[in-house]
C-alpha cells in the first residue's frame, strides 16, 4: 500500500496496558502511521523500555493538543471523566476518535452520572457509536466518535446478543473472571504477585460499573432486564471469561432453536468462534477473537453461555483497531490477525 | 497422651491427593496411630517419596482386608462404586469408616443411580451420616459410617445453609472455581501445566455430579429447589471458591436479617470465618476453614454468597479428620489446626 | 505472491508442541503451502481441535512416505533415533528437510552414540548443516538437510558465540531455566500442574544431552572447553533463560572490549536484541527473538551472559521456519514476524 | 505449660512479609507471649486484616520503645541501617534480640560499609552471633543479639558448609532463584503480577549484597574464596533454590567422600533433608526445612549442590524462631513444626 494512503494517528494515554498495546498494533499497522504516543507518567521514556515486548520505539510525550492534535485519528486511553473534554477538542479539530474510556458508552447521561460522575460533555453522547463491530458495523463505519466497549461488556454482549435479539433473556447472572492485566498497570496491594498468586476472589460486589453498560446493550438488542454481574480476579495475566446463566423468557424454546440463533448471528463473523466445549481463554490469548459456547441446563431450563476473550485485545485494544479499520474503510481485520 | 489412648487407623487409597493428605494429617495426629496406607498404584513405594511435603514414611501396600482391616478406624479414598463394597467389609469387622467417595452421600438410591451407577450396597445408605460437622455434629458423633461431602458441596452448603434453613432459597446459580488438585493426580491433557496455565474454562457442563448432593442438602435444611451448578478449572493448585447467586423466596427480607442468619449459624464455629469483603481462597489455603461473605444486590434483590475453602483440606481430608475426631469423642479441631 | 511460487511442505510429527507450532507458522506462511500434518497419536483429529489457538484446520494422518513424501520441503519432529531413517527417505525423494531431532546435530557420530544411541544413518551426518541462522546463514542457504538446534543450545550458543569466536571461554557454567512446554506434551507426574506450580528444581543432572551440542559449537567457533550445563523446570509455559558464567581465558580483557564483540556480532541481526538490563523471557514470548545481556563481575573477573528465548519459537519452530526461509531463498524473517 | 513460663515478645516491623510471619509463628508459639506488633505503615489496622491467613488479631502500633520495649525478647524487621540503633536501645533495656536486617551479619564493619552504608552501631557487631542454628547452635544459645541470616545465605551456606569446612571450595558459582515474596511487600512494577507472570530474569547483577555474607561464612568455615552470586526472580510466591557449582580444591576427592561429608554434617539435623534427586522448593514450602542434594559432574569434576528453602520460613521468620528457641533454652523446633 502506498505511503500516501496512510492515516496519521496518535495514542493518547499510551503508558498503560491498553494504550501501549493499541500503540503496538497501530505501529505495525499497514494503513496507519503512528505519529505520537503521550502519557502523564513516564514522559521522556521510550515505550519499548517500559514494554519491551511491544517493540514500539517512540518516546512518550506529555499530551499537547496543538502539537499532537494534527492527525487523522486518535485513540484516547484516559480515565473516565478526563477523556470526554479531550475527545471534544480532538473532534473540534476534525480528528476521528476511538475513546477507550466509559465516557461515551452509556447513551443515557443520567445513568452515566449515577454510576460514574458528572458528565463533562453530555452533548457529544448522542453522536457516539457503541463500538462493538459485530453488532454495529455500519454505524461505526460512518462515525467520527466511537465509544470502545468495556472488556466485560464486549464478552458478555457478544455472548448474549443472539438471545437478547430474540427477546429471550428474562434474567441473567453473569459471573466474570479476568486476568490481572484487567486491573491495570498500577502497582498496588491488589496487583502484587503475592496477593494474586494461588488466589481467586470477586471484586466490585455488588455494583460493578460495567453493569449498566451490559443492561443498556441487552435492552437495545431486545431484552430489557436487570442483570447480576460479578467479576472475579484470577492468577493469569491476560484473558477474560464470562459465564452467563440465562433464565429464558420462553422456556419452551428448544436447544436446537437456540443454537440456530447463534449460527445465524455469527457464522460469517471472522472474529467469533462458536464451539461446543465450554469456551476457554487460552485459545484466544493475544487475538481479536471471541470464543462462545452455548449449553442448556435441561433440569432448570437455563441457557448457559460462555464467552472468552483476551481482555487487552478483543476486550480493548484490538477491538479499537477493528473500529478504526471500519471508520477508515479498511478491511476490518487489518493489523489484528484478520 | 499415653499410647493406650490412640486409635489405630488405616487410609485405603492413599496414593491420591486426598488420601495422601489424610495420611499426613493422621500420621501427625496425637490421638490416631496410622498403621497402614494402601493403594492400587505405587505399591512398595514410601509415601514420602511420592509426596515429599507430606513426610509420611510409610510404605504403600496393596489393600488386604485381613491384613489391614484390624484397625479402629479407616479413611477410604476409593473411586465411586469401588468404595461401597470395601466399606461394607470394614463395617462388618467393626471398623468406623469415613468414606471420601460419593457412595453414601446421596440418601436416595435412585438419585445415586441416575447420576453415578448401580449402587453396590444400597442397604448401608440409611445409616450413613452426611459428614458436614458444622451441620450434623451430633449425628456424626454417634456414627460408624460417615459419608464425607464432596468439596464443592462442602463450600456451597456451608455458604447457603443459613438461607436454606430459613426457607429463603427460591433459586440458586452456583458458579464454582477450583484449583487443579481438585481434578486429581491423574496426569492427563487436562491437568498438564501447559493446558491449565493462563487458562480458565468450565467443565462438567451442565450436569456435574455434585448437583444432586447440593440439592439434597438444601432440601434437608429447608429449601427445596433445583440449582444450576457449574465448576471451572483455574490455574492454581489448591483452593475452591463458590459464588452463589440466590433468588430469595421472600424478597422483602432485609439485608440485616440475612446477616443475622449467618451470625446465628456460625458465630461460635471454630472453622467458619464470616467476612465482609468477598471471600478469597488464599486466606484459607492449607486450613480447615471455610470463609464466607454475604452480599446483597439491591438492584435485583439477589443475595450473593461466596464460600472459600481449600478443596483438599476442608473440602476433603481435614474435614475427614474433623469427622473422625467427632466419631471418637475427641476435640473437634485436634490435628487440624484447631 | 502468486500461488505458483509456493513451496509445498509437510510437517511430520505435528501432534507435539513443536510440530504443531511449526504447522501453524507454515499454514500462515505466504510462501509455503502446508499440505500434510502427520502424527502417531491423534490420527484422524483436526489439529485445531487439539491446539485451538494454532487454528490449523488440517487433519492429522498417519505418516505414509508415498502419500506425504511428494513435497518440496518437510519439517520432521520425530524422537531421536526415529528421525534419521525417515529423513533419509525424504532426502532420497529430493525433499529438503529441517530435522528437529538431535540426530544430525552432533558432527561426531561417536559423541552422538555416547549420549544418545546407535546412529541409524551415520553417512548423512556429514552433509547436515547446524541450523543456527545467525551463525551459519550461508551454509543453511545451500543445504538440503538442516539439523535444527536444541532449544538450550540455541540460547546458549547465541549468548556465547562472540566470546567463543574470540577464544575467550576458558570455562563456563550454564544454569538454564525452562518453561514446561520444553518438557513436551506427554502428561506425566512431572508435567502435572500440581507438580510444577510453586516449584522449581533442576533435572537431567549432571549429564543433560544438550551438553555435547553446546561444547561442539563453542569449539567450532573457537573455544574448546568442557561446560557444566544444568537445566531447571519453572512454573511458566513458554520461555527459556540461560545464565552463563564464563571464566575468561584472558582476564585482562576489558568490559568495553567484550561489549564490542557483541555489537560486532549482532548489531545487524534482526532477531537478536542486545540489552543492558538482565534479559528476561517475557519480552521474547511468542517471537523468534533471542535477547542477550552481557555483564561483568569485576570481583571475580567472570563474564555473565544471559540469553532469553521462547523455547518453542526461537528454540524450535520459528527457528525451523527461519531455516526454511534461507533454504528457499526467501527473506529470512518471512512468516515469523520479520 | 504454665503461663508463668512464657516469655513476652514483640515484633517490630510486623507489616512486612517477614515480620508478619514471625508474628504468626510467635502468636501460636506455646512459650512466647506476643505482646506487641509495630509498623510504620498500616498503624491502627489489625494484622489479620492485612494478612488474613496469618490470623494474628493484634493491632499494629507505631513503635515506642517505652511502651513496647518492656519485653523479654524482640524480633526486629527493620530496613538495613534503621535496625541497628533500635536494636541498641532494646539491648540496653535487657531485651534479647533477633535482628532480621543485615546490620549485624557482617563481622567486618568495612565490608558492611562497602556494601551497605555507614554503620550506626559498629560497637555491637562483635557480640552479635550469626544465626544459622545448624552451624552456630551453641553460640546462639548464649547470645543476647542474633543476626538472622539473609535468605540466600541461609540456603547457600547450609548447602556448602560441609564442603567449606573441608576446605574444598576453590571457586563457586551460585545461581539463585527466588519467589516474589523475597522482593517484599512493596507494590512496584517489579512485583506487579503482570510483570512476573510467565517471566524469569536475574537481578542485582553483578553485585548482590548477599555476596559478602556468603563469602564471610564460607571463609569462617574454612574456604576463603570469592563467589559469583546471581539471584533470579521466578513466578511463584514462596520458595528459594540455590544451585551451587563448586570447583573443588582437591579434584581427586571421590564422590563418596563428598557424600560422607554431608551425612556427617547433617544426619542428625531435624531441619535438614539430604536427598538424591535435585532438591525442589515445593517440598519445603511453609516449613523450616532446608533440602539439600549433592551431585558430581564427573566430566568437569565440579560438585553441584542444590539447596531449597522457603525464603520466608527457613530463610527468615521460622529461622528467627528457631534462634529464639535456642536463646531461651527451649526445644529448638518448638512452634515451627519440630
Amino acid at each position: 500500500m502506498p505511503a500516501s494512503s496512510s492515516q496519521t494517528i496518535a495514542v493518547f494515554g499510551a503508558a498503560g496496558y491498553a494504550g501501549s498495546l493499541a500503540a503496538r498494533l497501530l505501529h505495525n499497522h499497514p494503513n496507519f502511521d503512528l505519529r505520537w504516543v503521550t502519557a502523564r507518567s513516564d514522559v521522556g521514556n521510550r515505550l519499548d523500555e517500559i514494554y519491551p515486548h511491544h517493540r514500539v520505539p517512540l518516546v512518550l510525550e506529555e499530551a499537547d493538543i496543538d502539537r499532537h492534535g494534527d492527525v487523522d485519528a486518535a485513540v484516547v486511553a484516559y480515565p473516565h471523566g478526563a477523556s470526554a473534554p479531550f475527545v471534544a477538542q480532538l473532534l473540534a479539530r476534525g480528528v476521528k476518535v476511538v475513546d477507550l474510556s466509559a465516557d461515551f458508552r452509556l447513551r443515557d447521561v443520567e445513568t452515566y452520572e449515577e454510576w460514574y460522575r458528572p458528565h463533562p460533555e453530555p452533548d457529544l453522547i448522542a453522536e457516539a457509536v457503541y463500538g462493538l463491530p459485530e453488532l454495529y458495523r455500519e454505524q461505526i463505519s460512518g462515525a467520527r466518535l466511537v465509544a470502545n466497549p468495556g472488556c466485560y461488556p464486549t464478552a458478555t454482549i457478544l455472548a448474549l446478543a443472539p438471545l437478547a435479539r430474540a427477546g429471550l433473556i428474562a434474567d441473567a447472572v453473569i459471573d466474570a473472571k479476568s486476568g490481572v492485566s484487567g486491573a491495570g498497570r498500577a502497582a498496588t496491594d491488589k496487583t502484587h504477585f503475592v496477593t494474586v498468586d494461588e488466589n481467586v476472589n470477586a471484586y466490585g460486589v455488588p455494583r460493578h460499573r460495567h453493569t449498566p453498560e451490559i443492561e443498556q446493550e441487552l435492552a437495545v438488542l431486545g431484552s430489557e432486564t436487570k442483570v447480576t454481574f460479578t467479576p472475579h480476579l484470577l492468577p493469569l495475566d491476560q484473558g477474560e471469561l464470562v459465564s452467563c446463566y440465562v433464565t429464558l423468557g420462553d422456556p419452551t424454546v428448544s436447544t436446537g432453536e437456540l443454537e440456530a440463533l447463534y449460527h445465524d448471528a455469527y457464522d460469517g463473523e471472522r472474529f467469533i468462534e462458536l464451539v461446543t466445549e465450554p469456551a476457554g481463554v487460552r485459545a484466544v490469548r493475544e487475538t481479536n477473537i471471541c470464543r462462545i459456547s452455548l449449553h442448556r441446563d435441561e433440569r432448570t431450563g437455563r441457557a448457559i453461555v460462555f464467552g472468552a476473550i483476551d481482555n487487552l485485545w478483543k476486550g480493548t485494544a484490538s477491538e479499537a483497531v477493528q473500529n478504526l479499520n471500519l471508520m477508515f474503510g479498511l478491511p476490518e481485520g487489518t493489523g489484528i490477525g484478520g
Side-chain angles (χ1 to χ4, degrees), chain A:
Chain A
M1 171 160 291
S4 62
S5 74
S6 275
Q7 311 293 335
T8 57
I9 194 163
V11 175
F12 296 95
Y17 289 154
S20 64
L21 177 56
R24 162 181 160 185
L25 296 172
L26 292 166
H27 176 66
N28 296 327
H29 195 290
N31 303 106
F32 288 100
D33 173 13
L34 179 62
R35 285 282 172 85
W36 312 110
V37 288
T38 79
R40 288 178 305 174
S41 68
D42 302 289
V43 170
N45 291 305
R46 265 174 51 160
L47 201 51
D48 56 6
E49 291 164 355
I50 307 172
Y51 298 104
H53 62 299
H54 286 339
R55 297 185 166 77
V56 177
L58 300 180
V59 173
L60 286 167
E61 305 189 14
E62 197 170 350
D64 174 346
I65 190 80
D66 291 320
R67 176 165 162 75
H68 306 125
D70 187 19
V71 285
D72 299 312
V75 173
V76 179
Y78 279 10
H80 313 309
S83 191
F86 193 75
V87 166
Q89 292 185 63
L90 289 167
L91 292 177
R93 287 169 169 259
V95 181
K96 290 187 179 181
V97 176
V98 174
D99 178 29
L100 304 189
S101 86
D103 283 358
F104 300 105
R105 291 178 194 157
L106 296 175
R107 304 175 191 205
D108 173 25
V109 68
E110 284 176 32
T111 306
Y112 178 90
E113 299 193 338
E114 178 194 342
W115 290 78
Y116 290 91
R117 35 160 295 153
H119 199 294
E121 299 285 344
D123 295 346
L124 283 174
I125 295 176
E127 75 159 294
V129 173
Y130 191 73
L132 250 185
E134 285 75 12
L135 301 186
Y136 303 114
R137 191 165 277 126
E138 212 166 316
Q139 298 93 311
I140 294 165
S141 298
R144 60 173 198 150
L145 171 55
V146 167
N148 216 55
C151 53
Y152 290 122
T154 293
T156 305
I157 297 162
L158 289 174
L160 295 184
L163 299 179
R165 278 203 199 108
L168 280 168
I169 304 180
D171 183 32
V173 168
I174 299 148
D175 184 292
K177 294 104 179 153
S178 175
V180 185
S181 62
R185 187 189 165 200
T188 67
D189 264 11
K190 299 211 180 296
T191 59
H192 195 297
F193 185 89
V194 172
T195 307
V196 178
D197 187 48
E198 303 302 319
N199 204 358
V200 54
N201 57 263
Y203 66 95
V205 180
R207 274 178 65 88
H208 189 281
R209 287 168 162 182
H210 283 173
T211 308
E213 188 178 337
I214 292 167
E215 290 178 351
Q216 164 185 285
E217 293 304 310
L218 296 182
V220 167
L221 289 165
S223 286
E224 189 144 358
T225 182
K226 288 208 184 312
V227 305
T228 293
F229 168 74
T230 308
H232 298 69
L233 195 65
L234 260 57
L236 47 97
D237 57 0
Q238 286 168 235
E240 198 167 276
L241 180 72
V242 292
S243 306
C244 307
Y245 304 92
V246 180
T247 303
L248 296 170
D250 173 5
T252 69
V253 65
S254 75
T255 304
E257 288 170 308
L258 297 181
E259 290 169 350
L261 293 174
Y262 279 79
H263 285 288
D264 289 351
Y266 291 137
D267 272 353
E269 287 294 339
R270 166 68 184 87
F271 292 116
I272 306 284
E273 289 182 350
L274 297 180
V275 294
T276 53
E277 291 292 298
V281 303
R282 195 175 167 93
V284 296
R285 186 183 170 88
E286 306 218 339
T287 76
N288 191 52
I289 293 168
C290 179
R291 208 168 160 90
I292 295 172
S293 67
L294 167 72
H295 311 262
R296 188 73 178 275
D297 180 357
E298 300 290 352
R299 298 173 64 259
T300 65
R302 278 198 183 86
I304 305 178
V305 192
F306 300 102
I309 60 170
D310 184 313
N311 53 300
L312 290 183
W313 284 66
K314 181 62 172 173
T316 312
S318 67
E319 186 164 65
V321 175
Q322 190 179 3
N323 283 319
L324 285 165
N325 287 337
L326 287 168
M327 293 163 83
F328 284 92
L330 300 167
E332 191 173 328
T334 312
I336 50 174

